[in-house]
PDB file of all heavy atoms in Angstrom:
ATOM      1  N   GLY G   1     107.434  81.420  77.643  1.00 91.00           N
ATOM      2  CA  GLY G   1     106.567  80.607  78.511  1.00 91.00           C
ATOM      3  C   GLY G   1     106.116  81.321  79.764  1.00 91.00           C
ATOM      4  O   GLY G   1     105.652  82.479  79.726  1.00 91.00           O
ATOM      5  N   LEU G   2     106.283  80.652  80.919  1.00 96.00           N
ATOM      6  CA  LEU G   2     105.803  81.163  82.190  1.00 96.00           C
ATOM      7  C   LEU G   2     106.511  82.438  82.577  1.00 96.00           C
ATOM      8  O   LEU G   2     105.908  83.302  83.181  1.00 96.00           O
ATOM      9  CB  LEU G   2     105.983  80.059  83.267  1.00 96.00           C
ATOM     10  CG  LEU G   2     105.511  80.446  84.726  1.00 96.00           C
ATOM     11  CD1 LEU G   2     103.984  80.680  84.688  1.00 96.00           C
ATOM     12  CD2 LEU G   2     105.898  79.353  85.698  1.00 96.00           C
ATOM     13  N   TYR G   3     107.770  82.596  82.209  1.00 97.00           N
ATOM     14  CA  TYR G   3     108.537  83.787  82.590  1.00 97.00           C
ATOM     15  C   TYR G   3     107.877  85.016  82.033  1.00 97.00           C
ATOM     16  O   TYR G   3     107.824  86.064  82.681  1.00 97.00           O
ATOM     17  CB  TYR G   3     109.971  83.690  82.097  1.00 97.00           C
ATOM     18  CG  TYR G   3     110.724  82.560  82.745  1.00 97.00           C
ATOM     19  CD1 TYR G   3     111.415  81.594  81.950  1.00 97.00           C
ATOM     20  CD2 TYR G   3     110.846  82.473  84.111  1.00 97.00           C
ATOM     21  CE1 TYR G   3     112.155  80.575  82.581  1.00 97.00           C
ATOM     22  CE2 TYR G   3     111.585  81.459  84.748  1.00 97.00           C
ATOM     23  CZ  TYR G   3     112.228  80.500  83.932  1.00 97.00           C
ATOM     24  OH  TYR G   3     112.963  79.501  84.543  1.00 97.00           O
ATOM     25  N   THR G   4     107.419  84.930  80.779  1.00 96.00           N
ATOM     26  CA  THR G   4     106.765  86.107  80.164  1.00 96.00           C
ATOM     27  C   THR G   4     105.460  86.445  80.860  1.00 96.00           C
ATOM     28  O   THR G   4     105.150  87.613  81.158  1.00 96.00           O
ATOM     29  CB  THR G   4     106.481  85.818  78.656  1.00 96.00           C
ATOM     30  OG1 THR G   4     107.686  85.523  77.985  1.00 96.00           O
ATOM     31  CG2 THR G   4     105.809  86.997  78.014  1.00 96.00           C
ATOM     32  N   SER G   5     104.635  85.416  81.230  1.00 97.00           N
ATOM     33  CA  SER G   5     103.393  85.663  81.944  1.00 97.00           C
ATOM     34  C   SER G   5     103.657  86.287  83.299  1.00 97.00           C
ATOM     35  O   SER G   5     102.950  87.215  83.672  1.00 97.00           O
ATOM     36  CB  SER G   5     102.630  84.325  82.086  1.00 97.00           C
ATOM     37  OG  SER G   5     102.370  83.763  80.812  1.00 97.00           O
ATOM     38  N   LEU G   6     104.619  85.795  84.003  1.00 98.00           N
ATOM     39  CA  LEU G   6     104.929  86.361  85.315  1.00 98.00           C
ATOM     40  C   LEU G   6     105.433  87.786  85.188  1.00 98.00           C
ATOM     41  O   LEU G   6     105.138  88.634  86.054  1.00 98.00           O
ATOM     42  CB  LEU G   6     105.966  85.475  86.037  1.00 98.00           C
ATOM     43  CG  LEU G   6     105.539  84.075  86.449  1.00 98.00           C
ATOM     44  CD1 LEU G   6     106.690  83.285  86.995  1.00 98.00           C
ATOM     45  CD2 LEU G   6     104.445  84.169  87.539  1.00 98.00           C
ATOM     46  N   ALA G   7     106.248  88.047  84.190  1.00 97.00           N
ATOM     47  CA  ALA G   7     106.730  89.409  83.920  1.00 97.00           C
ATOM     48  C   ALA G   7     105.561  90.362  83.647  1.00 97.00           C
ATOM     49  O   ALA G   7     105.619  91.545  84.056  1.00 97.00           O
ATOM     50  CB  ALA G   7     107.752  89.421  82.766  1.00 97.00           C
ATOM     51  N   GLN G   8     104.572  89.903  82.927  1.00 97.00           N
ATOM     52  CA  GLN G   8     103.402  90.759  82.622  1.00 97.00           C
ATOM     53  C   GLN G   8     102.656  91.089  83.894  1.00 97.00           C
ATOM     54  O   GLN G   8     102.221  92.222  84.113  1.00 97.00           O
ATOM     55  CB  GLN G   8     102.535  90.063  81.648  1.00 97.00           C
ATOM     56  CG  GLN G   8     103.151  90.002  80.256  1.00 97.00           C
ATOM     57  CD  GLN G   8     102.362  89.065  79.274  1.00 97.00           C
ATOM     58  OE1 GLN G   8     101.505  88.309  79.693  1.00 97.00           O
ATOM     59  NE2 GLN G   8     102.670  89.165  77.977  1.00 97.00           N
ATOM     60  N   ILE G   9     102.494  90.078  84.816  1.00 98.00           N
ATOM     61  CA  ILE G   9     101.780  90.337  86.075  1.00 98.00           C
ATOM     62  C   ILE G   9     102.573  91.273  86.944  1.00 98.00           C
ATOM     63  O   ILE G   9     102.062  92.239  87.525  1.00 98.00           O
ATOM     64  CB  ILE G   9     101.550  88.983  86.797  1.00 98.00           C
ATOM     65  CG1 ILE G   9     100.620  88.086  86.003  1.00 98.00           C
ATOM     66  CG2 ILE G   9     100.989  89.244  88.216  1.00 98.00           C
ATOM     67  CD1 ILE G   9     100.513  86.676  86.517  1.00 98.00           C
ATOM     68  N   ALA G  10     103.891  91.081  87.031  1.00 98.00           N
ATOM     69  CA  ALA G  10     104.769  91.945  87.848  1.00 98.00           C
ATOM     70  C   ALA G  10     104.811  93.347  87.317  1.00 98.00           C
ATOM     71  O   ALA G  10     104.806  94.335  88.061  1.00 98.00           O
ATOM     72  CB  ALA G  10     106.190  91.361  87.906  1.00 98.00           C
ATOM     73  N   THR G  11     104.816  93.477  85.975  1.00 98.00           N
ATOM     74  CA  THR G  11     104.793  94.835  85.351  1.00 98.00           C
ATOM     75  C   THR G  11     103.471  95.540  85.651  1.00 98.00           C
ATOM     76  O   THR G  11     103.429  96.739  85.939  1.00 98.00           O
ATOM     77  CB  THR G  11     104.970  94.727  83.830  1.00 98.00           C
ATOM     78  OG1 THR G  11     106.227  94.054  83.518  1.00 98.00           O
ATOM     79  CG2 THR G  11     104.955  96.075  83.162  1.00 98.00           C
ATOM     80  N   LEU G  12     102.416  94.787  85.628  1.00 98.00           N
ATOM     81  CA  LEU G  12     101.077  95.339  85.929  1.00 98.00           C
ATOM     82  C   LEU G  12     101.047  95.912  87.310  1.00 98.00           C
ATOM     83  O   LEU G  12     100.538  97.002  87.543  1.00 98.00           O
ATOM     84  CB  LEU G  12      99.982  94.282  85.761  1.00 98.00           C
ATOM     85  CG  LEU G  12      98.538  94.707  85.961  1.00 98.00           C
ATOM     86  CD1 LEU G  12      98.140  95.815  84.933  1.00 98.00           C
ATOM     87  CD2 LEU G  12      97.560  93.535  85.884  1.00 98.00           C
ATOM     88  N   TYR G  13     101.602  95.209  88.288  1.00 98.00           N
ATOM     89  CA  TYR G  13     101.635  95.677  89.698  1.00 98.00           C
ATOM     90  C   TYR G  13     102.521  96.896  89.797  1.00 98.00           C
ATOM     91  O   TYR G  13     102.171  97.875  90.532  1.00 98.00           O
ATOM     92  CB  TYR G  13     102.104  94.613  90.691  1.00 98.00           C
ATOM     93  CG  TYR G  13     102.053  95.133  92.104  1.00 98.00           C
ATOM     94  CD1 TYR G  13     100.901  95.108  92.814  1.00 98.00           C
ATOM     95  CD2 TYR G  13     103.207  95.662  92.686  1.00 98.00           C
ATOM     96  CE1 TYR G  13     100.822  95.621  94.130  1.00 98.00           C
ATOM     97  CE2 TYR G  13     103.151  96.185  93.992  1.00 98.00           C
ATOM     98  CZ  TYR G  13     101.999  96.128  94.678  1.00 98.00           C
ATOM     99  OH  TYR G  13     101.922  96.665  95.979  1.00 98.00           O
ATOM    100  N   TYR G  14     103.647  96.953  89.107  1.00 98.00           N
ATOM    101  CA  TYR G  14     104.533  98.087  89.142  1.00 98.00           C
ATOM    102  C   TYR G  14     103.828  99.342  88.761  1.00 98.00           C
ATOM    103  O   TYR G  14     103.861 100.382  89.438  1.00 98.00           O
ATOM    104  CB  TYR G  14     105.728  97.855  88.219  1.00 98.00           C
ATOM    105  CG  TYR G  14     106.741  98.942  88.196  1.00 98.00           C
ATOM    106  CD1 TYR G  14     107.870  98.909  88.993  1.00 98.00           C
ATOM    107  CD2 TYR G  14     106.590 100.144  87.456  1.00 98.00           C
ATOM    108  CE1 TYR G  14     108.868  99.873  88.961  1.00 98.00           C
ATOM    109  CE2 TYR G  14     107.510 101.103  87.450  1.00 98.00           C
ATOM    110  CZ  TYR G  14     108.661 101.011  88.206  1.00 98.00           C
ATOM    111  OH  TYR G  14     109.602 102.057  88.175  1.00 98.00           O
ATOM    112  N   PHE G  15     103.096  99.318  87.650  1.00 98.00           N
ATOM    113  CA  PHE G  15     102.355 100.494  87.209  1.00 98.00           C
ATOM    114  C   PHE G  15     101.142 100.785  88.106  1.00 98.00           C
ATOM    115  O   PHE G  15     100.833 101.947  88.301  1.00 98.00           O
ATOM    116  CB  PHE G  15     101.960 100.301  85.750  1.00 98.00           C
ATOM    117  CG  PHE G  15     103.070 100.644  84.779  1.00 98.00           C
ATOM    118  CD1 PHE G  15     103.976  99.653  84.459  1.00 98.00           C
ATOM    119  CD2 PHE G  15     103.191 101.904  84.208  1.00 98.00           C
ATOM    120  CE1 PHE G  15     105.035  99.929  83.600  1.00 98.00           C
ATOM    121  CE2 PHE G  15     104.207 102.121  83.302  1.00 98.00           C
ATOM    122  CZ  PHE G  15     105.135 101.184  82.999  1.00 98.00           C
ATOM    123  N   ALA G  16     100.461  99.711  88.566  1.00 98.00           N
ATOM    124  CA  ALA G  16      99.308  99.934  89.451  1.00 98.00           C
ATOM    125  C   ALA G  16      99.667 100.589  90.750  1.00 98.00           C
ATOM    126  O   ALA G  16      98.977 101.369  91.314  1.00 98.00           O
ATOM    127  CB  ALA G  16      98.656  98.534  89.739  1.00 98.00           C
ATOM    128  N   PHE G  17     100.927 100.319  91.242  1.00 98.00           N
ATOM    129  CA  PHE G  17     101.377 100.896  92.504  1.00 98.00           C
ATOM    130  C   PHE G  17     101.413 102.453  92.351  1.00 98.00           C
ATOM    131  O   PHE G  17     100.972 103.143  93.274  1.00 98.00           O
ATOM    132  CB  PHE G  17     102.769 100.409  92.851  1.00 98.00           C
ATOM    133  CG  PHE G  17     103.384 101.014  94.067  1.00 98.00           C
ATOM    134  CD1 PHE G  17     103.006 100.622  95.322  1.00 98.00           C
ATOM    135  CD2 PHE G  17     104.327 102.043  93.980  1.00 98.00           C
ATOM    136  CE1 PHE G  17     103.523 101.233  96.483  1.00 98.00           C
ATOM    137  CE2 PHE G  17     104.879 102.649  95.061  1.00 98.00           C
ATOM    138  CZ  PHE G  17     104.461 102.226  96.328  1.00 98.00           C
ATOM    139  N   PHE G  18     101.913 102.933  91.233  1.00 98.00           N
ATOM    140  CA  PHE G  18     102.006 104.366  91.015  1.00 98.00           C
ATOM    141  C   PHE G  18     100.710 105.000  90.572  1.00 98.00           C
ATOM    142  O   PHE G  18     100.337 106.106  91.089  1.00 98.00           O
ATOM    143  CB  PHE G  18     103.101 104.665  89.988  1.00 98.00           C
ATOM    144  CG  PHE G  18     104.493 104.451  90.462  1.00 98.00           C
ATOM    145  CD1 PHE G  18     105.147 103.299  90.112  1.00 98.00           C
ATOM    146  CD2 PHE G  18     105.169 105.359  91.249  1.00 98.00           C
ATOM    147  CE1 PHE G  18     106.461 103.026  90.538  1.00 98.00           C
ATOM    148  CE2 PHE G  18     106.505 105.137  91.683  1.00 98.00           C
ATOM    149  CZ  PHE G  18     107.124 103.967  91.307  1.00 98.00           C
ATOM    150  N   LEU G  19     100.007 104.344  89.681  1.00 98.00           N
ATOM    151  CA  LEU G  19      98.837 104.997  89.045  1.00 98.00           C
ATOM    152  C   LEU G  19      97.502 104.744  89.766  1.00 98.00           C
ATOM    153  O   LEU G  19      96.577 105.515  89.605  1.00 98.00           O
ATOM    154  CB  LEU G  19      98.728 104.509  87.594  1.00 98.00           C
ATOM    155  CG  LEU G  19      99.913 104.848  86.707  1.00 98.00           C
ATOM    156  CD1 LEU G  19      99.740 104.200  85.339  1.00 98.00           C
ATOM    157  CD2 LEU G  19     100.101 106.370  86.565  1.00 98.00           C
ATOM    158  N   ILE G  20      97.442 103.702  90.530  1.00 98.00           N
ATOM    159  CA  ILE G  20      96.175 103.352  91.284  1.00 98.00           C
ATOM    160  C   ILE G  20      96.351 103.407  92.777  1.00 98.00           C
ATOM    161  O   ILE G  20      95.633 104.133  93.505  1.00 98.00           O
ATOM    162  CB  ILE G  20      95.633 102.019  90.817  1.00 98.00           C
ATOM    163  CG1 ILE G  20      95.386 101.992  89.354  1.00 98.00           C
ATOM    164  CG2 ILE G  20      94.371 101.671  91.612  1.00 98.00           C
ATOM    165  CD1 ILE G  20      94.998 100.628  88.788  1.00 98.00           C
ATOM    166  N   ILE G  21      97.299 102.645  93.328  1.00 98.00           N
ATOM    167  CA  ILE G  21      97.468 102.497  94.748  1.00 98.00           C
ATOM    168  C   ILE G  21      97.812 103.798  95.419  1.00 98.00           C
ATOM    169  O   ILE G  21      97.154 104.225  96.388  1.00 98.00           O
ATOM    170  CB  ILE G  21      98.492 101.389  95.058  1.00 98.00           C
ATOM    171  CG1 ILE G  21      98.007 100.055  94.603  1.00 98.00           C
ATOM    172  CG2 ILE G  21      98.817 101.375  96.556  1.00 98.00           C
ATOM    173  CD1 ILE G  21      98.991  98.925  94.692  1.00 98.00           C
ATOM    174  N   LEU G  22      98.823 104.511  94.925  1.00 97.00           N
ATOM    175  CA  LEU G  22      99.223 105.800  95.527  1.00 97.00           C
ATOM    176  C   LEU G  22      98.140 106.787  95.604  1.00 97.00           C
ATOM    177  O   LEU G  22      97.833 107.396  96.648  1.00 97.00           O
ATOM    178  CB  LEU G  22     100.490 106.334  94.835  1.00 97.00           C
ATOM    179  CG  LEU G  22     101.839 105.743  95.201  1.00 97.00           C
ATOM    180  CD1 LEU G  22     102.956 106.419  94.451  1.00 97.00           C
ATOM    181  CD2 LEU G  22     102.099 105.821  96.701  1.00 97.00           C
ATOM    182  N   PRO G  23      97.447 107.101  94.443  1.00 97.00           N
ATOM    183  CA  PRO G  23      96.380 108.119  94.514  1.00 97.00           C
ATOM    184  C   PRO G  23      95.183 107.684  95.376  1.00 97.00           C
ATOM    185  O   PRO G  23      94.668 108.501  96.117  1.00 97.00           O
ATOM    186  CB  PRO G  23      95.950 108.242  93.018  1.00 97.00           C
ATOM    187  CG  PRO G  23      97.077 107.678  92.231  1.00 97.00           C
ATOM    188  CD  PRO G  23      97.666 106.613  93.096  1.00 97.00           C
ATOM    189  N   VAL G  24      94.786 106.411  95.286  1.00 97.00           N
ATOM    190  CA  VAL G  24      93.600 105.956  96.019  1.00 97.00           C
ATOM    191  C   VAL G  24      93.864 105.846  97.538  1.00 97.00           C
ATOM    192  O   VAL G  24      93.089 106.232  98.314  1.00 97.00           O
ATOM    193  CB  VAL G  24      93.090 104.608  95.480  1.00 97.00           C
ATOM    194  CG1 VAL G  24      91.986 104.053  96.263  1.00 97.00           C
ATOM    195  CG2 VAL G  24      92.648 104.782  93.974  1.00 97.00           C
ATOM    196  N   LEU G  25      95.020 105.294  97.828  1.00 97.00           N
ATOM    197  CA  LEU G  25      95.340 105.094  99.315  1.00 97.00           C
ATOM    198  C   LEU G  25      95.330 106.428 100.051  1.00 97.00           C
ATOM    199  O   LEU G  25      94.852 106.501 101.226  1.00 97.00           O
ATOM    200  CB  LEU G  25      96.734 104.454  99.480  1.00 97.00           C
ATOM    201  CG  LEU G  25      96.780 102.912  99.583  1.00 97.00           C
ATOM    202  CD1 LEU G  25      98.174 102.490  99.928  1.00 97.00           C
ATOM    203  CD2 LEU G  25      95.795 102.385 100.606  1.00 97.00           C
ATOM    204  N   GLY G  26      95.838 107.485  99.447  1.00 94.00           N
ATOM    205  CA  GLY G  26      95.841 108.815 100.075  1.00 94.00           C
ATOM    206  C   GLY G  26      94.481 109.322 100.410  1.00 94.00           C
ATOM    207  O   GLY G  26      94.305 110.151 101.313  1.00 94.00           O
ATOM    208  N   LEU G  27      93.451 108.840  99.707  1.00 95.00           N
ATOM    209  CA  LEU G  27      92.057 109.283  99.927  1.00 95.00           C
ATOM    210  C   LEU G  27      91.344 108.415 100.937  1.00 95.00           C
ATOM    211  O   LEU G  27      90.452 108.890 101.656  1.00 95.00           O
ATOM    212  CB  LEU G  27      91.309 109.301  98.600  1.00 95.00           C
ATOM    213  CG  LEU G  27      91.902 110.203  97.506  1.00 95.00           C
ATOM    214  CD1 LEU G  27      91.110 110.015  96.223  1.00 95.00           C
ATOM    215  CD2 LEU G  27      91.930 111.658  97.945  1.00 95.00           C
ATOM    216  N   ILE G  28      91.646 107.105 101.031  1.00 96.00           N
ATOM    217  CA  ILE G  28      90.831 106.220 101.848  1.00 96.00           C
ATOM    218  C   ILE G  28      91.559 105.694 103.088  1.00 96.00           C
ATOM    219  O   ILE G  28      90.909 105.187 104.003  1.00 96.00           O
ATOM    220  CB  ILE G  28      90.355 105.016 100.994  1.00 96.00           C
ATOM    221  CG1 ILE G  28      91.508 104.160 100.551  1.00 96.00           C
ATOM    222  CG2 ILE G  28      89.575 105.530  99.783  1.00 96.00           C
ATOM    223  CD1 ILE G  28      91.065 102.854  99.848  1.00 96.00           C
ATOM    224  N   GLU G  29      92.900 105.810 103.121  1.00 96.00           N
ATOM    225  CA  GLU G  29      93.654 105.220 104.255  1.00 96.00           C
ATOM    226  C   GLU G  29      93.495 106.067 105.499  1.00 96.00           C
ATOM    227  O   GLU G  29      93.525 107.329 105.439  1.00 96.00           O
ATOM    228  CB  GLU G  29      95.127 105.114 103.854  1.00 96.00           C
ATOM    229  CG  GLU G  29      95.970 104.450 104.924  1.00 96.00           C
ATOM    230  CD  GLU G  29      97.451 104.336 104.477  1.00 96.00           C
ATOM    231  OE1 GLU G  29      97.902 105.222 103.811  1.00 96.00           O
ATOM    232  OE2 GLU G  29      98.094 103.341 104.870  1.00 96.00           O
ATOM    233  N   THR G  30      93.353 105.411 106.628  1.00 96.00           N
ATOM    234  CA  THR G  30      93.313 106.107 107.904  1.00 96.00           C
ATOM    235  C   THR G  30      94.692 105.927 108.621  1.00 96.00           C
ATOM    236  O   THR G  30      95.030 104.839 109.043  1.00 96.00           O
ATOM    237  CB  THR G  30      92.228 105.498 108.828  1.00 96.00           C
ATOM    238  OG1 THR G  30      90.949 105.656 108.159  1.00 96.00           O
ATOM    239  CG2 THR G  30      92.207 106.269 110.166  1.00 96.00           C
ATOM    240  N   PRO G  31      95.484 106.970 108.711  1.00 96.00           N
ATOM    241  CA  PRO G  31      96.847 106.822 109.304  1.00 96.00           C
ATOM    242  C   PRO G  31      96.756 106.681 110.762  1.00 96.00           C
ATOM    243  O   PRO G  31      95.790 107.015 111.454  1.00 96.00           O
ATOM    244  CB  PRO G  31      97.501 108.135 108.851  1.00 96.00           C
ATOM    245  CG  PRO G  31      96.411 109.151 108.665  1.00 96.00           C
ATOM    246  CD  PRO G  31      95.238 108.344 108.199  1.00 96.00           C
ATOM    247  N   ARG G  32      97.871 106.171 111.339  1.00 95.00           N
ATOM    248  CA  ARG G  32      97.987 106.070 112.796  1.00 95.00           C
ATOM    249  C   ARG G  32      98.198 107.472 113.352  1.00 95.00           C
ATOM    250  O   ARG G  32      98.633 108.430 112.678  1.00 95.00           O
ATOM    251  CB  ARG G  32      99.182 105.147 113.147  1.00 95.00           C
ATOM    252  CG  ARG G  32      98.939 103.716 112.833  1.00 95.00           C
ATOM    253  CD  ARG G  32     100.226 102.913 112.946  1.00 95.00           C
ATOM    254  NE  ARG G  32     100.890 103.201 114.259  1.00 95.00           N
ATOM    255  CZ  ARG G  32     102.182 103.033 114.458  1.00 95.00           C
ATOM    256  NH1 ARG G  32     102.988 102.593 113.535  1.00 95.00           N
ATOM    257  NH2 ARG G  32     102.693 103.308 115.677  1.00 95.00           N
ATOM    258  N   ARG G  33      97.982 107.566 114.677  1.00 94.00           N
ATOM    259  CA  ARG G  33      98.206 108.882 115.362  1.00 94.00           C
ATOM    260  C   ARG G  33      99.700 109.233 115.297  1.00 94.00           C
ATOM    261  O   ARG G  33     100.568 108.451 115.607  1.00 94.00           O
ATOM    262  CB  ARG G  33      97.720 108.817 116.802  1.00 94.00           C
ATOM    263  CG  ARG G  33      97.677 110.181 117.497  1.00 94.00           C
ATOM    264  CD  ARG G  33      97.442 110.121 118.966  1.00 94.00           C
ATOM    265  NE  ARG G  33      98.728 109.740 119.640  1.00 94.00           N
ATOM    266  CZ  ARG G  33      99.685 110.607 119.968  1.00 94.00           C
ATOM    267  NH1 ARG G  33      99.632 111.806 119.681  1.00 94.00           N
ATOM    268  NH2 ARG G  33     100.752 110.173 120.579  1.00 94.00           N
ATOM    269  N   MET G  34      99.966 110.479 114.894  1.00 94.00           N
ATOM    270  CA  MET G  34     101.309 110.961 114.798  1.00 94.00           C
ATOM    271  C   MET G  34     101.701 111.757 116.018  1.00 94.00           C
ATOM    272  O   MET G  34     100.857 112.505 116.581  1.00 94.00           O
ATOM    273  CB  MET G  34     101.464 111.767 113.513  1.00 94.00           C
ATOM    274  CG  MET G  34     101.214 111.024 112.224  1.00 94.00           C
ATOM    275  SD  MET G  34     101.310 112.057 110.779  1.00 94.00           S
ATOM    276  CE  MET G  34     103.026 112.560 110.861  1.00 94.00           C
ATOM    277  N   PRO G  35     102.961 111.774 116.383  1.00 93.00           N
ATOM    278  CA  PRO G  35     103.414 112.632 117.505  1.00 93.00           C
ATOM    279  C   PRO G  35     103.380 114.075 117.049  1.00 93.00           C
ATOM    280  O   PRO G  35     103.356 114.423 115.914  1.00 93.00           O
ATOM    281  CB  PRO G  35     104.817 112.147 117.781  1.00 93.00           C
ATOM    282  CG  PRO G  35     105.275 111.495 116.496  1.00 93.00           C
ATOM    283  CD  PRO G  35     104.037 110.904 115.884  1.00 93.00           C
ATOM    284  N   ASN G  36     103.360 114.971 118.017  1.00 92.00           N
ATOM    285  CA  ASN G  36     103.355 116.390 117.758  1.00 92.00           C
ATOM    286  C   ASN G  36     104.678 116.951 117.265  1.00 92.00           C
ATOM    287  O   ASN G  36     104.696 117.978 116.640  1.00 92.00           O
ATOM    288  CB  ASN G  36     102.890 117.185 118.972  1.00 92.00           C
ATOM    289  CG  ASN G  36     101.439 116.834 119.376  1.00 92.00           C
ATOM    290  OD1 ASN G  36     100.587 116.740 118.494  1.00 92.00           O
ATOM    291  ND2 ASN G  36     101.234 116.623 120.647  1.00 92.00           N
ATOM    292  N   SER G  37     105.761 116.281 117.593  1.00 94.00           N
ATOM    293  CA  SER G  37     107.058 116.746 117.214  1.00 94.00           C
ATOM    294  C   SER G  37     108.047 115.598 117.160  1.00 94.00           C
ATOM    295  O   SER G  37     107.772 114.500 117.637  1.00 94.00           O
ATOM    296  CB  SER G  37     107.597 117.814 118.191  1.00 94.00           C
ATOM    297  OG  SER G  37     107.810 117.227 119.477  1.00 94.00           O
TER     298      SER G  37
END
């Protein structure tokens, strides 16, 4: 039932985090100013 559907959505986000979010964020994200040391 619903548990399977929710598991599919959660699994999709798990893989999307590694395969989509990590590569894309590194290209488009503007980081905050970092200290020199």
